[in-house]
Amino acid sequence: MQKDEPDDYASPACLMHEVDPAYMGLDEPWEAVREWRGRERKRLVEARKAIGAAERERRTALIASHLRLLLGPLIAGKCISAYWPFQGEPDLRGWLAEIAAEGATCLLPVVAQKAGPLEFRTWTPGAALTRGVLGILIPAGGQQRQPDIVIAPVIGYDRGCYRLGVGGGYFDRTLAALSPRPLAIGIGFAQQQIRTIKPQPHDIPMDAVVTENGVIRRPGGPLA
């Protein structure tokens, strides 16, 4: 499998004080980091939305193939949460339909409570949907289940598999709350990689990030 790990890729230390403070963003006030993240989100979302439809489809097909190789042996019988595409995110609905046919239970995340962890509801292709937070489609019904694997879109990501999301902190709170912790996979395009998201103590890294160029695995993680 092709990997797009940079030459200087290194495992994030278990203790944040062991990591370069500039990489972790710990040498800056949180307010400054938050404002910087807001600017980065806007820039990265606009760049993603500018990708043409045909090119986005091509890249997404490559992402799906890398996911297939990465997770193939783990899919059958598992509960796998993905996402409904939003603002030019890779559209994995075709891949979800395939793994559902292979025995996986597909879930979609739902914001059930502001500032609370996500819920995950079962979803099958063609099932009724309704609008949730930010207008993103969520299951109108479905059963609540705990995922074995969480696949989360990224706005940005860095070499430590830290994820820059929409800013609500929902995935971090959810991963911190779930026990046992599910496998966490970030999904995005290679152009969304940045040097660092300036991770803070509340940020939880993904176990891997999958782009059209391949898979970046978090050293020391379950997929290493």
Side-chain angles (χ1 to χ4, degrees), residues 57 60-65 67-68 75 80 82-85 89-102 104 106 108 123-126 151:
E57 185 175 345
T60 298
L62 290 171
I63 290 170
S65 68
L67 267 177
R68 169 69 62 182
I75 286 174
I80 301 177
Y83 59 91
W84 201 265
E89 292 167 346
D91 184 352
L92 296 178
R93 286 175 292 179
W95 181 78
L96 286 175
E98 291 177 3
I99 66 171
E102 296 170 11
C106 296
L108 291 177
W123 172 82
T124 54
I151 296 175

PDB file of all heavy atoms in Angstrom, residues 57 60-65 67-68 75 80 82-85 89-102 104 106 108 123-126 151:
ATOM      1  N   GLU A  57     -14.207  13.202  -7.702  1.00  0.00           N
ATOM      2  CA  GLU A  57     -14.641  11.815  -7.841  1.00  0.00           C
ATOM      3  C   GLU A  57     -13.447  10.884  -8.020  1.00  0.00           C
ATOM      4  O   GLU A  57     -13.401   9.795  -7.451  1.00  0.00           O
ATOM      5  CB  GLU A  57     -15.602  11.687  -9.020  1.00  0.00           C
ATOM      6  CG  GLU A  57     -16.209  10.316  -9.173  1.00  0.00           C
ATOM      7  CD  GLU A  57     -17.256  10.260 -10.274  1.00  0.00           C
ATOM      8  OE1 GLU A  57     -17.705  11.331 -10.730  1.00  0.00           O
ATOM      9  OE2 GLU A  57     -17.626   9.141 -10.672  1.00  0.00           O
ATOM     10  N   THR A  60     -11.660  10.583  -4.680  1.00  0.00           N
ATOM     11  CA  THR A  60     -12.475   9.823  -3.735  1.00  0.00           C
ATOM     12  C   THR A  60     -12.404   8.335  -4.030  1.00  0.00           C
ATOM     13  O   THR A  60     -12.374   7.504  -3.107  1.00  0.00           O
ATOM     14  CB  THR A  60     -13.932  10.313  -3.772  1.00  0.00           C
ATOM     15  OG1 THR A  60     -13.970  11.692  -3.371  1.00  0.00           O
ATOM     16  CG2 THR A  60     -14.810   9.495  -2.853  1.00  0.00           C
ATOM     17  N   ALA A  61     -12.378   7.972  -5.304  1.00  0.00           N
ATOM     18  CA  ALA A  61     -12.257   6.558  -5.669  1.00  0.00           C
ATOM     19  C   ALA A  61     -10.945   5.977  -5.144  1.00  0.00           C
ATOM     20  O   ALA A  61     -10.900   4.827  -4.680  1.00  0.00           O
ATOM     21  CB  ALA A  61     -12.354   6.390  -7.186  1.00  0.00           C
ATOM     22  N   LEU A  62      -9.876   6.756  -5.199  1.00  0.00           N
ATOM     23  CA  LEU A  62      -8.592   6.294  -4.671  1.00  0.00           C
ATOM     24  C   LEU A  62      -8.653   6.149  -3.150  1.00  0.00           C
ATOM     25  O   LEU A  62      -8.126   5.186  -2.588  1.00  0.00           O
ATOM     26  CB  LEU A  62      -7.484   7.280  -5.066  1.00  0.00           C
ATOM     27  CG  LEU A  62      -7.114   7.303  -6.550  1.00  0.00           C
ATOM     28  CD1 LEU A  62      -6.174   8.469  -6.847  1.00  0.00           C
ATOM     29  CD2 LEU A  62      -6.458   5.984  -6.957  1.00  0.00           C
ATOM     30  N   ILE A  63      -9.298   7.104  -2.484  1.00  0.00           N
ATOM     31  CA  ILE A  63      -9.462   7.007  -1.033  1.00  0.00           C
ATOM     32  C   ILE A  63     -10.213   5.724  -0.670  1.00  0.00           C
ATOM     33  O   ILE A  63      -9.826   4.991   0.246  1.00  0.00           O
ATOM     34  CB  ILE A  63     -10.196   8.241  -0.494  1.00  0.00           C
ATOM     35  CG1 ILE A  63      -9.286   9.474  -0.587  1.00  0.00           C
ATOM     36  CG2 ILE A  63     -10.647   8.027   0.957  1.00  0.00           C
ATOM     37  CD1 ILE A  63      -9.994  10.782  -0.293  1.00  0.00           C
ATOM     38  N   ALA A  64     -11.292   5.447  -1.394  1.00  0.00           N
ATOM     39  CA  ALA A  64     -12.076   4.244  -1.127  1.00  0.00           C
ATOM     40  C   ALA A  64     -11.241   2.981  -1.318  1.00  0.00           C
ATOM     41  O   ALA A  64     -11.365   2.019  -0.537  1.00  0.00           O
ATOM     42  CB  ALA A  64     -13.308   4.219  -2.025  1.00  0.00           C
ATOM     43  N   SER A  65     -10.374   2.993  -2.316  1.00  0.00           N
ATOM     44  CA  SER A  65      -9.538   1.806  -2.544  1.00  0.00           C
ATOM     45  C   SER A  65      -8.527   1.630  -1.418  1.00  0.00           C
ATOM     46  O   SER A  65      -8.243   0.503  -0.991  1.00  0.00           O
ATOM     47  CB  SER A  65      -8.826   1.911  -3.898  1.00  0.00           C
ATOM     48  OG  SER A  65      -7.853   2.941  -3.904  1.00  0.00           O
ATOM     49  N   LEU A  67      -8.978   2.649   1.674  1.00  0.00           N
ATOM     50  CA  LEU A  67      -9.775   2.190   2.817  1.00  0.00           C
ATOM     51  C   LEU A  67     -10.051   0.697   2.716  1.00  0.00           C
ATOM     52  O   LEU A  67     -10.018  -0.032   3.714  1.00  0.00           O
ATOM     53  CB  LEU A  67     -11.101   2.950   2.864  1.00  0.00           C
ATOM     54  CG  LEU A  67     -11.183   4.208   3.716  1.00  0.00           C
ATOM     55  CD1 LEU A  67     -12.555   4.845   3.568  1.00  0.00           C
ATOM     56  CD2 LEU A  67     -10.885   3.914   5.174  1.00  0.00           C
ATOM     57  N   ARG A  68     -10.333   0.258   1.501  1.00  0.00           N
ATOM     58  CA  ARG A  68     -10.617  -1.155   1.280  1.00  0.00           C
ATOM     59  C   ARG A  68      -9.420  -2.005   1.703  1.00  0.00           C
ATOM     60  O   ARG A  68      -9.569  -3.022   2.389  1.00  0.00           O
ATOM     61  CB  ARG A  68     -10.937  -1.374  -0.201  1.00  0.00           C
ATOM     62  CG  ARG A  68     -11.012  -2.807  -0.664  1.00  0.00           C
ATOM     63  CD  ARG A  68     -12.199  -3.527  -0.094  1.00  0.00           C
ATOM     64  NE  ARG A  68     -13.466  -2.925  -0.505  1.00  0.00           N
ATOM     65  CZ  ARG A  68     -14.644  -3.372  -0.093  1.00  0.00           C
ATOM     66  NH1 ARG A  68     -14.712  -4.385   0.750  1.00  0.00           N
ATOM     67  NH2 ARG A  68     -15.752  -2.783  -0.504  1.00  0.00           N
ATOM     68  N   ILE A  75     -13.968  -5.442   8.401  1.00  0.00           N
ATOM     69  CA  ILE A  75     -15.285  -4.866   8.118  1.00  0.00           C
ATOM     70  C   ILE A  75     -16.453  -5.760   8.534  1.00  0.00           C
ATOM     71  O   ILE A  75     -17.390  -5.318   9.190  1.00  0.00           O
ATOM     72  CB  ILE A  75     -15.382  -4.511   6.616  1.00  0.00           C
ATOM     73  CG1 ILE A  75     -14.555  -3.257   6.330  1.00  0.00           C
ATOM     74  CG2 ILE A  75     -16.833  -4.304   6.201  1.00  0.00           C
ATOM     75  CD1 ILE A  75     -14.458  -2.911   4.864  1.00  0.00           C
ATOM     76  N   ILE A  80     -19.650   0.464  11.694  1.00  0.00           N
ATOM     77  CA  ILE A  80     -18.725   1.442  11.126  1.00  0.00           C
ATOM     78  C   ILE A  80     -19.462   2.751  10.908  1.00  0.00           C
ATOM     79  O   ILE A  80     -20.425   2.828  10.150  1.00  0.00           O
ATOM     80  CB  ILE A  80     -18.130   0.929   9.802  1.00  0.00           C
ATOM     81  CG1 ILE A  80     -17.391  -0.390  10.056  1.00  0.00           C
ATOM     82  CG2 ILE A  80     -17.193   1.967   9.191  1.00  0.00           C
ATOM     83  CD1 ILE A  80     -16.826  -1.033   8.821  1.00  0.00           C
ATOM     84  N   ALA A  82     -19.512   6.506   9.460  1.00  0.00           N
ATOM     85  CA  ALA A  82     -18.879   7.381   8.475  1.00  0.00           C
ATOM     86  C   ALA A  82     -19.531   8.759   8.586  1.00  0.00           C
ATOM     87  O   ALA A  82     -19.745   9.260   9.688  1.00  0.00           O
ATOM     88  CB  ALA A  82     -18.971   6.794   7.082  1.00  0.00           C
ATOM     89  N   TYR A  83     -19.885   9.371   7.470  1.00  0.00           N
ATOM     90  CA  TYR A  83     -20.430  10.728   7.510  1.00  0.00           C
ATOM     91  C   TYR A  83     -21.156  11.003   6.210  1.00  0.00           C
ATOM     92  O   TYR A  83     -20.913  10.360   5.182  1.00  0.00           O
ATOM     93  CB  TYR A  83     -19.300  11.755   7.712  1.00  0.00           C
ATOM     94  CG  TYR A  83     -18.247  11.707   6.613  1.00  0.00           C
ATOM     95  CD1 TYR A  83     -18.354  12.494   5.468  1.00  0.00           C
ATOM     96  CD2 TYR A  83     -17.159  10.847   6.705  1.00  0.00           C
ATOM     97  CE1 TYR A  83     -17.417  12.429   4.455  1.00  0.00           C
ATOM     98  CE2 TYR A  83     -16.212  10.770   5.693  1.00  0.00           C
ATOM     99  CZ  TYR A  83     -16.338  11.572   4.566  1.00  0.00           C
ATOM    100  OH  TYR A  83     -15.408  11.492   3.563  1.00  0.00           O
ATOM    101  N   TRP A  84     -22.060  11.982   6.244  1.00  0.00           N
ATOM    102  CA  TRP A  84     -22.727  12.438   5.027  1.00  0.00           C
ATOM    103  C   TRP A  84     -21.895  13.588   4.457  1.00  0.00           C
ATOM    104  O   TRP A  84     -21.560  14.512   5.179  1.00  0.00           O
ATOM    105  CB  TRP A  84     -24.148  12.903   5.333  1.00  0.00           C
ATOM    106  CG  TRP A  84     -25.018  12.908   4.118  1.00  0.00           C
ATOM    107  CD1 TRP A  84     -25.272  13.975   3.302  1.00  0.00           C
ATOM    108  CD2 TRP A  84     -25.738  11.800   3.582  1.00  0.00           C
ATOM    109  NE1 TRP A  84     -26.101  13.599   2.277  1.00  0.00           N
ATOM    110  CE2 TRP A  84     -26.405  12.254   2.426  1.00  0.00           C
ATOM    111  CE3 TRP A  84     -25.874  10.467   3.969  1.00  0.00           C
ATOM    112  CZ2 TRP A  84     -27.208  11.426   1.652  1.00  0.00           C
ATOM    113  CZ3 TRP A  84     -26.663   9.642   3.188  1.00  0.00           C
ATOM    114  CH2 TRP A  84     -27.326  10.120   2.047  1.00  0.00           C
ATOM    115  N   PRO A  85     -21.508  13.549   3.167  1.00  0.00           N
ATOM    116  CA  PRO A  85     -20.585  14.550   2.630  1.00  0.00           C
ATOM    117  C   PRO A  85     -21.138  15.967   2.703  1.00  0.00           C
ATOM    118  O   PRO A  85     -22.328  16.200   2.497  1.00  0.00           O
ATOM    119  CB  PRO A  85     -20.372  14.098   1.178  1.00  0.00           C
ATOM    120  CG  PRO A  85     -21.573  13.250   0.857  1.00  0.00           C
ATOM    121  CD  PRO A  85     -21.949  12.582   2.138  1.00  0.00           C
ATOM    122  N   GLU A  89     -16.484  17.461   0.836  1.00  0.00           N
ATOM    123  CA  GLU A  89     -15.774  16.331   1.442  1.00  0.00           C
ATOM    124  C   GLU A  89     -15.825  15.114   0.515  1.00  0.00           C
ATOM    125  O   GLU A  89     -16.753  14.975  -0.285  1.00  0.00           O
ATOM    126  CB  GLU A  89     -16.415  15.974   2.784  1.00  0.00           C
ATOM    127  CG  GLU A  89     -16.236  17.025   3.854  1.00  0.00           C
ATOM    128  CD  GLU A  89     -17.120  16.800   5.067  1.00  0.00           C
ATOM    129  OE1 GLU A  89     -18.070  15.983   4.974  1.00  0.00           O
ATOM    130  OE2 GLU A  89     -16.858  17.433   6.098  1.00  0.00           O
ATOM    131  N   PRO A  90     -14.848  14.205   0.620  1.00  0.00           N
ATOM    132  CA  PRO A  90     -14.917  12.959  -0.155  1.00  0.00           C
ATOM    133  C   PRO A  90     -16.226  12.226   0.130  1.00  0.00           C
ATOM    134  O   PRO A  90     -16.625  12.075   1.292  1.00  0.00           O
ATOM    135  CB  PRO A  90     -13.708  12.166   0.362  1.00  0.00           C
ATOM    136  CG  PRO A  90     -12.754  13.212   0.854  1.00  0.00           C
ATOM    137  CD  PRO A  90     -13.609  14.291   1.423  1.00  0.00           C
ATOM    138  N   ASP A  91     -16.888  11.791  -0.919  1.00  0.00           N
ATOM    139  CA  ASP A  91     -18.205  11.164  -0.809  1.00  0.00           C
ATOM    140  C   ASP A  91     -18.042   9.643  -0.769  1.00  0.00           C
ATOM    141  O   ASP A  91     -17.829   9.007  -1.802  1.00  0.00           O
ATOM    142  CB  ASP A  91     -19.073  11.577  -1.998  1.00  0.00           C
ATOM    143  CG  ASP A  91     -20.490  11.041  -1.907  1.00  0.00           C
ATOM    144  OD1 ASP A  91     -20.768  10.220  -1.010  1.00  0.00           O
ATOM    145  OD2 ASP A  91     -21.328  11.446  -2.737  1.00  0.00           O
ATOM    146  N   LEU A  92     -18.160   9.074   0.420  1.00  0.00           N
ATOM    147  CA  LEU A  92     -17.952   7.637   0.603  1.00  0.00           C
ATOM    148  C   LEU A  92     -19.242   6.834   0.624  1.00  0.00           C
ATOM    149  O   LEU A  92     -19.249   5.673   1.047  1.00  0.00           O
ATOM    150  CB  LEU A  92     -17.182   7.398   1.913  1.00  0.00           C
ATOM    151  CG  LEU A  92     -15.767   7.954   1.971  1.00  0.00           C
ATOM    152  CD1 LEU A  92     -15.155   7.672   3.338  1.00  0.00           C
ATOM    153  CD2 LEU A  92     -14.891   7.368   0.866  1.00  0.00           C
ATOM    154  N   ARG A  93     -20.338   7.401   0.155  1.00  0.00           N
ATOM    155  CA  ARG A  93     -21.602   6.681   0.224  1.00  0.00           C
ATOM    156  C   ARG A  93     -21.588   5.400  -0.601  1.00  0.00           C
ATOM    157  O   ARG A  93     -22.189   4.391  -0.205  1.00  0.00           O
ATOM    158  CB  ARG A  93     -22.747   7.599  -0.210  1.00  0.00           C
ATOM    159  CG  ARG A  93     -23.082   8.649   0.844  1.00  0.00           C
ATOM    160  CD  ARG A  93     -24.128   9.615   0.364  1.00  0.00           C
ATOM    161  NE  ARG A  93     -23.635  10.478  -0.711  1.00  0.00           N
ATOM    162  CZ  ARG A  93     -24.378  11.400  -1.313  1.00  0.00           C
ATOM    163  NH1 ARG A  93     -25.650  11.571  -0.955  1.00  0.00           N
ATOM    164  NH2 ARG A  93     -23.864  12.159  -2.266  1.00  0.00           N
ATOM    165  N   GLY A  94     -20.911   5.407  -1.731  1.00  0.00           N
ATOM    166  CA  GLY A  94     -20.800   4.182  -2.520  1.00  0.00           C
ATOM    167  C   GLY A  94     -20.036   3.099  -1.774  1.00  0.00           C
ATOM    168  O   GLY A  94     -20.419   1.919  -1.797  1.00  0.00           O
ATOM    169  N   TRP A  95     -18.967   3.488  -1.108  1.00  0.00           N
ATOM    170  CA  TRP A  95     -18.182   2.543  -0.308  1.00  0.00           C
ATOM    171  C   TRP A  95     -19.015   2.003   0.847  1.00  0.00           C
ATOM    172  O   TRP A  95     -18.960   0.808   1.161  1.00  0.00           O
ATOM    173  CB  TRP A  95     -16.931   3.241   0.214  1.00  0.00           C
ATOM    174  CG  TRP A  95     -16.033   2.372   1.033  1.00  0.00           C
ATOM    175  CD1 TRP A  95     -15.148   1.433   0.582  1.00  0.00           C
ATOM    176  CD2 TRP A  95     -15.932   2.359   2.467  1.00  0.00           C
ATOM    177  NE1 TRP A  95     -14.500   0.838   1.642  1.00  0.00           N
ATOM    178  CE2 TRP A  95     -14.961   1.391   2.809  1.00  0.00           C
ATOM    179  CE3 TRP A  95     -16.549   3.076   3.478  1.00  0.00           C
ATOM    180  CZ2 TRP A  95     -14.605   1.127   4.130  1.00  0.00           C
ATOM    181  CZ3 TRP A  95     -16.199   2.814   4.800  1.00  0.00           C
ATOM    182  CH2 TRP A  95     -15.235   1.852   5.111  1.00  0.00           C
ATOM    183  N   LEU A  96     -19.817   2.865   1.481  1.00  0.00           N
ATOM    184  CA  LEU A  96     -20.683   2.416   2.565  1.00  0.00           C
ATOM    185  C   LEU A  96     -21.691   1.379   2.079  1.00  0.00           C
ATOM    186  O   LEU A  96     -21.973   0.396   2.767  1.00  0.00           O
ATOM    187  CB  LEU A  96     -21.415   3.604   3.181  1.00  0.00           C
ATOM    188  CG  LEU A  96     -20.588   4.533   4.070  1.00  0.00           C
ATOM    189  CD1 LEU A  96     -21.427   5.726   4.503  1.00  0.00           C
ATOM    190  CD2 LEU A  96     -20.054   3.796   5.285  1.00  0.00           C
ATOM    191  N   ALA A  97     -22.252   1.606   0.887  1.00  0.00           N
ATOM    192  CA  ALA A  97     -23.197   0.635   0.339  1.00  0.00           C
ATOM    193  C   ALA A  97     -22.513  -0.715   0.115  1.00  0.00           C
ATOM    194  O   ALA A  97     -23.099  -1.780   0.369  1.00  0.00           O
ATOM    195  CB  ALA A  97     -23.786   1.160  -0.967  1.00  0.00           C
ATOM    196  N   GLU A  98     -21.262  -0.687  -0.323  1.00  0.00           N
ATOM    197  CA  GLU A  98     -20.521  -1.927  -0.554  1.00  0.00           C
ATOM    198  C   GLU A  98     -20.279  -2.683   0.740  1.00  0.00           C
ATOM    199  O   GLU A  98     -20.489  -3.894   0.813  1.00  0.00           O
ATOM    200  CB  GLU A  98     -19.182  -1.612  -1.231  1.00  0.00           C
ATOM    201  CG  GLU A  98     -19.300  -1.114  -2.659  1.00  0.00           C
ATOM    202  CD  GLU A  98     -17.947  -0.750  -3.239  1.00  0.00           C
ATOM    203  OE1 GLU A  98     -16.927  -0.953  -2.534  1.00  0.00           O
ATOM    204  OE2 GLU A  98     -17.900  -0.260  -4.377  1.00  0.00           O
ATOM    205  N   ILE A  99     -19.843  -1.966   1.795  1.00  0.00           N
ATOM    206  CA  ILE A  99     -19.524  -2.684   3.030  1.00  0.00           C
ATOM    207  C   ILE A  99     -20.796  -3.140   3.744  1.00  0.00           C
ATOM    208  O   ILE A  99     -20.780  -4.154   4.449  1.00  0.00           O
ATOM    209  CB  ILE A  99     -18.631  -1.851   3.967  1.00  0.00           C
ATOM    210  CG1 ILE A  99     -19.352  -0.614   4.508  1.00  0.00           C
ATOM    211  CG2 ILE A  99     -17.331  -1.469   3.270  1.00  0.00           C
ATOM    212  CD1 ILE A  99     -18.575   0.104   5.603  1.00  0.00           C
ATOM    213  N   ALA A 100     -21.910  -2.408   3.529  1.00  0.00           N
ATOM    214  CA  ALA A 100     -23.184  -2.870   4.095  1.00  0.00           C
ATOM    215  C   ALA A 100     -23.568  -4.204   3.481  1.00  0.00           C
ATOM    216  O   ALA A 100     -24.071  -5.102   4.169  1.00  0.00           O
ATOM    217  CB  ALA A 100     -24.274  -1.825   3.866  1.00  0.00           C
ATOM    218  N   ALA A 101     -23.317  -4.348   2.163  1.00  0.00           N
ATOM    219  CA  ALA A 101     -23.628  -5.604   1.483  1.00  0.00           C
ATOM    220  C   ALA A 101     -22.718  -6.739   1.946  1.00  0.00           C
ATOM    221  O   ALA A 101     -23.054  -7.916   1.770  1.00  0.00           O
ATOM    222  CB  ALA A 101     -23.506  -5.419  -0.027  1.00  0.00           C
ATOM    223  N   GLU A 102     -21.592  -6.384   2.540  1.00  0.00           N
ATOM    224  CA  GLU A 102     -20.635  -7.386   3.009  1.00  0.00           C
ATOM    225  C   GLU A 102     -20.810  -7.719   4.495  1.00  0.00           C
ATOM    226  O   GLU A 102     -19.996  -8.437   5.076  1.00  0.00           O
ATOM    227  CB  GLU A 102     -19.205  -6.898   2.749  1.00  0.00           C
ATOM    228  CG  GLU A 102     -18.901  -6.754   1.266  1.00  0.00           C
ATOM    229  CD  GLU A 102     -17.583  -6.034   1.011  1.00  0.00           C
ATOM    230  OE1 GLU A 102     -16.820  -5.845   1.984  1.00  0.00           O
ATOM    231  OE2 GLU A 102     -17.325  -5.662  -0.138  1.00  0.00           O
ATOM    232  N   ALA A 104     -21.317  -5.333   7.139  1.00  0.00           N
ATOM    233  CA  ALA A 104     -21.055  -4.277   8.114  1.00  0.00           C
ATOM    234  C   ALA A 104     -22.362  -3.558   8.463  1.00  0.00           C
ATOM    235  O   ALA A 104     -23.281  -3.482   7.645  1.00  0.00           O
ATOM    236  CB  ALA A 104     -20.046  -3.282   7.569  1.00  0.00           C
ATOM    237  N   CYS A 106     -23.709   0.047   9.090  1.00  0.00           N
ATOM    238  CA  CYS A 106     -23.277   1.425   8.848  1.00  0.00           C
ATOM    239  C   CYS A 106     -23.998   2.377   9.796  1.00  0.00           C
ATOM    240  O   CYS A 106     -25.200   2.256  10.036  1.00  0.00           O
ATOM    241  CB  CYS A 106     -23.553   1.825   7.402  1.00  0.00           C
ATOM    242  SG  CYS A 106     -22.605   0.866   6.202  1.00  0.00           S
ATOM    243  N   LEU A 108     -24.284   6.676  11.120  1.00  0.00           N
ATOM    244  CA  LEU A 108     -23.995   8.082  10.873  1.00  0.00           C
ATOM    245  C   LEU A 108     -24.020   8.814  12.213  1.00  0.00           C
ATOM    246  O   LEU A 108     -24.846   8.512  13.082  1.00  0.00           O
ATOM    247  CB  LEU A 108     -25.026   8.702   9.919  1.00  0.00           C
ATOM    248  CG  LEU A 108     -24.990   8.231   8.463  1.00  0.00           C
ATOM    249  CD1 LEU A 108     -26.115   8.895   7.668  1.00  0.00           C
ATOM    250  CD2 LEU A 108     -23.637   8.523   7.809  1.00  0.00           C
ATOM    251  N   TRP A 123     -27.814   3.274   9.713  1.00  0.00           N
ATOM    252  CA  TRP A 123     -28.258   3.827   8.438  1.00  0.00           C
ATOM    253  C   TRP A 123     -28.028   2.790   7.346  1.00  0.00           C
ATOM    254  O   TRP A 123     -27.001   2.102   7.328  1.00  0.00           O
ATOM    255  CB  TRP A 123     -27.496   5.101   8.104  1.00  0.00           C
ATOM    256  CG  TRP A 123     -27.775   5.617   6.718  1.00  0.00           C
ATOM    257  CD1 TRP A 123     -28.836   6.363   6.316  1.00  0.00           C
ATOM    258  CD2 TRP A 123     -26.977   5.410   5.543  1.00  0.00           C
ATOM    259  NE1 TRP A 123     -28.752   6.639   4.966  1.00  0.00           N
ATOM    260  CE2 TRP A 123     -27.616   6.059   4.473  1.00  0.00           C
ATOM    261  CE3 TRP A 123     -25.779   4.734   5.297  1.00  0.00           C
ATOM    262  CZ2 TRP A 123     -27.108   6.058   3.184  1.00  0.00           C
ATOM    263  CZ3 TRP A 123     -25.262   4.726   3.999  1.00  0.00           C
ATOM    264  CH2 TRP A 123     -25.927   5.388   2.959  1.00  0.00           C
ATOM    265  N   THR A 124     -29.003   2.661   6.460  1.00  0.00           N
ATOM    266  CA  THR A 124     -28.864   1.818   5.285  1.00  0.00           C
ATOM    267  C   THR A 124     -29.154   2.660   4.051  1.00  0.00           C
ATOM    268  O   THR A 124     -29.921   3.638   4.128  1.00  0.00           O
ATOM    269  CB  THR A 124     -29.844   0.625   5.321  1.00  0.00           C
ATOM    270  OG1 THR A 124     -31.177   1.126   5.502  1.00  0.00           O
ATOM    271  CG2 THR A 124     -29.492  -0.314   6.463  1.00  0.00           C
ATOM    272  N   PRO A 125     -28.525   2.344   2.916  1.00  0.00           N
ATOM    273  CA  PRO A 125     -28.777   3.123   1.705  1.00  0.00           C
ATOM    274  C   PRO A 125     -30.263   3.216   1.397  1.00  0.00           C
ATOM    275  O   PRO A 125     -30.990   2.215   1.418  1.00  0.00           O
ATOM    276  CB  PRO A 125     -28.032   2.330   0.625  1.00  0.00           C
ATOM    277  CG  PRO A 125     -26.922   1.651   1.377  1.00  0.00           C
ATOM    278  CD  PRO A 125     -27.512   1.292   2.712  1.00  0.00           C
ATOM    279  N   GLY A 126     -30.743   4.429   1.170  1.00  0.00           N
ATOM    280  CA  GLY A 126     -32.144   4.660   0.872  1.00  0.00           C
ATOM    281  C   GLY A 126     -33.001   4.966   2.085  1.00  0.00           C
ATOM    282  O   GLY A 126     -34.175   5.326   1.931  1.00  0.00           O
ATOM    283  N   ILE A 151     -15.052   6.769  11.117  1.00  0.00           N
ATOM    284  CA  ILE A 151     -14.415   7.414   9.968  1.00  0.00           C
ATOM    285  C   ILE A 151     -14.883   8.864   9.935  1.00  0.00           C
ATOM    286  O   ILE A 151     -16.079   9.131   9.778  1.00  0.00           O
ATOM    287  CB  ILE A 151     -14.773   6.682   8.663  1.00  0.00           C
ATOM    288  CG1 ILE A 151     -14.209   5.251   8.716  1.00  0.00           C
ATOM    289  CG2 ILE A 151     -14.244   7.426   7.454  1.00  0.00           C
ATOM    290  CD1 ILE A 151     -14.603   4.398   7.538  1.00  0.00           C
TER     291      ILE A 151
END
